[in-house]
Amino acid sequence: AAKDGGRGRYHFYSNDLHSAAEERSKVEEDLRDAIANGSLELFYQPVVCSHDDTIAGFEALLRWNHPTRGWLSPSKFIHIAEDTGLISAIGEWAIRTACNDLAQWPENIRCAVNVSPVQFSNPQLPSIITNAVARSGIAPSRLELEITESVFLNDDEGTDAMFTALKRVGVRLALDDFGTGYSSLGYLKKAPFDKIKIDQSFVRGATEPGSRNGAIITSITSLAKALGMDTTAEGVETLDELDLVRKLGCSHVQGYIYSKAVNTTAIARLLASGPQMKAQGYRSARGPRQTM
Ligand code: C2E
Ligand code: MG
Ligand code: MG
Ligand code: MG
């Protein structure tokens, strides 16, 4: 019965499939093949330093090149991967792939990988990461794990132990989508985050008159600074938004204003062209979105 509420989410394949359950098992089957036949790919989106527009690193974002549906974004399949446990294999593959790609890039470049709460509750995660880091030869501090507040939902000794173990591995930790979940300052007290990622819902509309978002962003950045953490503003699209999040103290910026997530060939070309990114303006403040 718990799945009934999610029925609408699975309108993914053709409508002649009778049930959400059938549709899900089709996605599941295709996803199993995807892992085996290499049709999953990591794309990378630049994360840019606020003060000088240089590339600090990238966030790895999963894409699925489906045999009949074309490129699919994670919102179409991550929840199914999580429900079926396939996320463990996908997540491990993503960590290994990101480490191997990092090994091809300059040493000052970091890379963030999203970690599902399902992976986070697997006691094997620290050793999976240790192995991936060792095999690729990268410094562990170049790898950043993005974790959402939902890992604190079943907050227990296991959660604390996982944070301790991950810090011992030497990777960085980022709190993703901050402000959208059960945001509690208690998380910031107990968990050793290196970065807070301010969710794009706070950036969007922040430049509108009367918006409360700017005050919220300001309080997050000053809190982060006091705790010695970086902040990334997510989803920055316009020059006005960029000016604002800089002014409000975000140390890093990520968004279509610089680039969407692109494949490794495009990343190699980008890095070869120098450390600087150019803010392009994905859409104007009022107008419709431009195609890039
Ligand atoms: P996220 O980690 O918060 O990633 C940021 C999302 O915002 C990405 O969507 C990115 O493409 C999008 N984005 C970035 N800049 C802009 C912008 O300026 N405007 C707009 N409108 N959107 C922007 P994407 O790639 O579709 O990923 C969605 C979510 O799927 C991610 O949210 C993350 O939670 C999850 N995800 C992606 N890759 C993985 C993965 O490898 N493992 C796991 N467990 N989850 C993943
Ligand atoms: Mg993320
Ligand atoms: Mg996010
Ligand atoms: Mg998100």
Side-chain angles (χ1 to χ4, degrees):
K3 300 279 185 264
D4 291 345
R7 190 160 200 263
R9 298 196 311 199
Y10 307 126
H11 285 169
F12 175 70
Y13 288 84
S14 69
N15 288 326
D16 13 320
L17 290 175
H18 311 299
S19 65
E22 215 168 320
E23 206 161 301
R24 283 172 59 85
S25 63
K26 178 75 177 116
V27 178
E28 184 182 343
E29 193 186 309
D30 288 356
L31 204 46
R32 272 182 212 284
D33 293 344
I35 300 168
N37 68 23
S39 57
L40 293 178
E41 219 176 295
L42 287 185
F43 277 34
Y44 294 93
Q45 185 179 33
V47 177
V48 177
C49 291
S50 274
H51 62 284
D52 62 3
D53 271 356
T54 57
I55 302 171
F58 303 103
E59 177 176 3
L61 293 161
L62 195 56
R63 301 289 182 263
W64 180 8
N65 194 359
H66 188 280
T68 56
R69 312 284 304 189
W71 287 101
L72 298 176
S73 72
S75 61
K76 294 279 198 293
F77 61 88
I78 283 281
H79 57 282
I80 296 175
E82 287 177 333
D83 291 353
T84 55
L86 286 170
I87 193 69
S88 301
I90 295 172
E92 185 170 344
W93 168 86
I95 290 165
R96 267 190 282 113
T97 303
C99 287
N100 293 339
D101 287 339
L102 260 171
Q104 308 299 312
W105 300 332
E107 281 181 20
N108 65 322
I109 296 291
R110 299 181 199 276
C111 183
V113 178
N114 292 282
V115 170
S116 156
V118 177
Q119 294 173 269
F120 194 83
S121 61
N122 174 5
Q124 297 304 310
L125 182 64
S127 66
I128 288 169
I129 294 167
T130 301
N131 289 337
V133 165
R135 280 207 223 165
S136 65
I138 62 160
S141 58
R142 295 178 64 199
L143 184 67
E144 187 168 82
L145 306 182
E146 296 197 0
I147 295 155
T148 58
E149 292 158 348
S150 54
V151 303
F152 296 104
L153 282 180
N154 36 6
D155 199 2
D156 53 17
E157 311 89 71
T159 311
D160 293 348
M162 182 57 77
F163 278 114
T164 307
L166 292 175
K167 282 321 282 185
R168 204 176 297 134
V169 172
V171 293
R172 283 167 53 100
L173 300 174
L175 183 53
D176 203 0
D177 302 344
F178 186 70
T180 60
Y182 302 87
S183 311
S184 157
L185 298 181
Y187 307 152
L188 297 180
K189 189 177 89 174
K190 55 193 292 190
F193 290 108
D194 300 283
K195 171 182 272 189
I196 297 174
K197 300 195 76 178
I198 301 172
D199 190 69
Q200 57 174 283
S201 58
F202 296 104
V203 174
R204 201 70 57 249
T207 55
E208 300 296 318
S211 172
R212 297 167 173 238
N213 294 7
I216 294 171
I217 295 172
T218 303
S219 67
I220 298 173
T221 57
S222 55
L223 182 65
K225 250 177 238 159
L227 294 170
M229 300 174 185
D230 292 338
T231 40
T232 296
E234 297 194 273
V236 173
E237 294 185 351
T238 70
L239 288 166
D240 287 347
E241 288 168 356
L242 179 61
D243 285 346
L244 186 67
V245 300
R246 275 184 176 147
K247 206 175 71 194
L248 301 183
C250 295
S251 62
H252 296 83
V253 175
Q254 186 179 343
Y256 294 170
I257 187 156
Y258 290 109
S259 175
K260 295 185 175 182
V262 294
N263 66 21
T264 48
T265 309
I267 291 296
R269 212 181 301 126
L270 182 67
L271 288 169
S273 72
Q276 217 81 19
M277 290 297 294
K278 215 165 112 60
Q280 300 204 286
Y282 174 63
R283 57 176 167 78
S284 65
R286 289 156 182 290
R289 291 185 172 183
Q290 301 153 7
T291 45
M292 281 183 86

